[in-house]
Amino acid sequence: MSTLSDRYAWALGRSVPAARRAGVERQVHASIEQSIAEKVDAGCGAAEAEREAVSELGDPDRRAAELVGRPSYLIGPAYYFGWRRLLTILLSAVTPSVFGGLLLAQLLAGNDMIAATSTALSVAFSVAVQLAFWITVTFAVIERVARTRPARLAAWDPDSLPLVPERRIGVGETVVGLLSYLLFIGLIIWQQNIWVVRTAGDQPTALLDPRLWSFWLPWFIGVATVELLFAVVSFGIGRWTMTLAWVNVLLNLLFAVPACWLLGSNQVIDPNFLELFAVPTGAVTTVSTLVQFAIVVVAVLDVVHGFVRARRGR
């Protein structure tokens, strides 16, 4: 029956290259025997001394990695920061580009907003996973085949230090936000009551379908009013918080979802206006698609911006 020493030496030896296996096993046996002799001389029983000696050596796989100098991690400190920087740059550049380009292509192809967004998100997520996987595999291979491991991948100098981000909500951005929402509300009212086209029968024709006043235009005016209050409250708090970031998500959804649905179902422009100016159906569809795309992109960027500033504010 094999002893603990034999079992430990065999378990360790199977994790080292065959050319070094015999020498490593002899080294481990000698180390265990020396430790056992010292413990027996101190008054410990032989079986107990062997168990303690083997326990002190620790996990055989980890011990083997230490003896042969093999990394016991996926990416070590020599390459970790280079891996993280490259992964961050590529994910932040490639993934949004894939999402935006595919979303626009799907919308121009005539797919509805929900299906187009779902497809674009799915493909962008797959691209992000593939990028992360192959970049990690590449650095893991470099970690194991490189003869020398530099302390860092590139020379560092103080000029590469980032600027300290502004954490407080400034007066300028608050004023711009308030003016934007007021302008949005004003344009809705202006196009309905002031900027109207007179037909041959002197009938006023507005750009937006007047049927929207039954619910949706008051809805958007209400959302813009809440956005005004949100901007004032945010300025009063002085910095972005996670609560504000989540409220910002809700406000973007309250505006973007119904806006894209109305555009996709051709309920925004007054049919009389289109007929008066003989606007081709294809042109209306293309413009509606581009506007939907712009709304989604702006909403996503605004949501991301909110969470980034909330994280910095913490």
Side-chain angles (χ1 to χ4, degrees):
M1 186 175 180
S2 58
T3 63
L4 285 177
S5 302
D6 295 330
R7 290 162 59 189
Y8 187 89
W10 180 85
L12 187 146
R14 68 180 179 176
S15 299
V16 301
R20 300 187 56 182
R21 190 168 299 156
V24 168
E25 289 181 355
R26 285 195 300 269
Q27 180 181 349
V28 170
H29 270 297
S31 175
I32 293 175
E33 289 171 1
Q34 180 181 355
S35 179
I36 290 173
E38 293 174 354
K39 295 180 185 302
V40 170
D41 291 341
C44 185
E48 184 181 355
E50 183 181 28
R51 175 172 290 278
E52 290 183 4
V54 171
S55 298
E56 289 172 356
L57 290 176
D59 183 88
D61 291 330
R62 184 180 297 276
R63 189 71 173 177
E66 294 173 354
L67 288 173
V68 300
R70 184 181 63 241
S72 56
Y73 41 75
L74 187 62
I75 300 173
Y79 296 101
Y80 172 77
F81 294 103
W83 165 81
R84 189 179 68 178
R85 292 190 190 103
L86 181 61
L87 188 62
T88 301
I89 291 172
L90 289 180
L91 286 180
S92 60
V94 175
T95 307
S97 300
V98 170
F99 172 77
L102 189 57
L103 177 62
L104 181 59
Q106 292 277 315
L107 292 175
L108 291 175
N111 294 338
D112 62 271
M113 175 57 69
I114 296 178
T117 303
S118 176
T119 301
L121 282 174
S122 176
V123 174
F125 178 76
S126 298
V127 169
V129 171
Q130 290 291 327
L131 274 176
F133 175 77
W134 289 112
I135 292 173
T136 302
V137 167
T138 301
F139 273 84
V141 171
I142 293 174
E143 182 75 58
R144 280 149 182 78
V145 301
R147 296 184 179 276
T148 59
R149 295 186 178 87
R152 53 181 179 266
L153 288 178
W156 179 87
D157 66 86
D159 292 334
S160 64
L161 288 171
L163 297 174
V164 178
E166 177 61 46
R167 291 178 171 84
R168 298 196 60 81
I169 298 176
V171 177
E173 65 176 300
T174 302
V175 171
V176 170
L178 294 175
L179 291 177
S180 299
Y181 301 130
L182 290 173
L183 178 63
F184 174 77
I185 296 172
L187 285 175
I188 292 177
I189 299 173
W190 174 74
Q191 66 84 34
Q192 187 67 37
N193 298 297
I194 300 175
W195 186 79
V196 293
V197 179
R198 299 287 176 176
T199 62
D202 201 35
Q203 293 294 322
T205 303
L207 175 64
L208 302 180
D209 194 330
R211 289 173 294 184
L212 294 175
W213 281 103
S214 63
F215 179 79
W216 286 115
L217 289 181
W219 169 273
F220 289 120
I221 291 175
V223 172
T225 303
V226 175
E227 289 275 14
L228 284 169
L229 297 174
F230 178 76
V232 173
V233 171
S234 301
F235 180 74
I237 294 174
R239 62 182 179 85
W240 277 81
T241 64
M242 281 299 170
T243 300
L244 291 178
W246 282 110
V247 173
N248 187 49
V249 172
L250 178 60
L251 291 174
N252 274 284
L253 289 175
L254 291 176
F255 179 85
V257 172
C260 290
W261 175 72
L262 290 170
L263 286 165
S265 55
N266 297 321
Q267 299 183 57
V268 176
I269 307 299
D270 188 349
N272 295 326
F273 183 91
L274 298 176
E275 183 180 353
L276 181 64
F277 288 95
V279 180
T281 304
V284 175
T285 303
T286 301
V287 172
S288 296
T289 298
L290 293 175
V291 174
Q292 289 179 74
F293 176 74
I295 289 173
V296 172
V297 171
V298 171
V300 170
L301 291 177
D302 188 51
V303 167
V304 171
H305 179 257
F307 280 106
V308 169
R309 296 199 63 182
R311 181 175 175 272
R312 289 175 178 172
R314 293 166 62 183

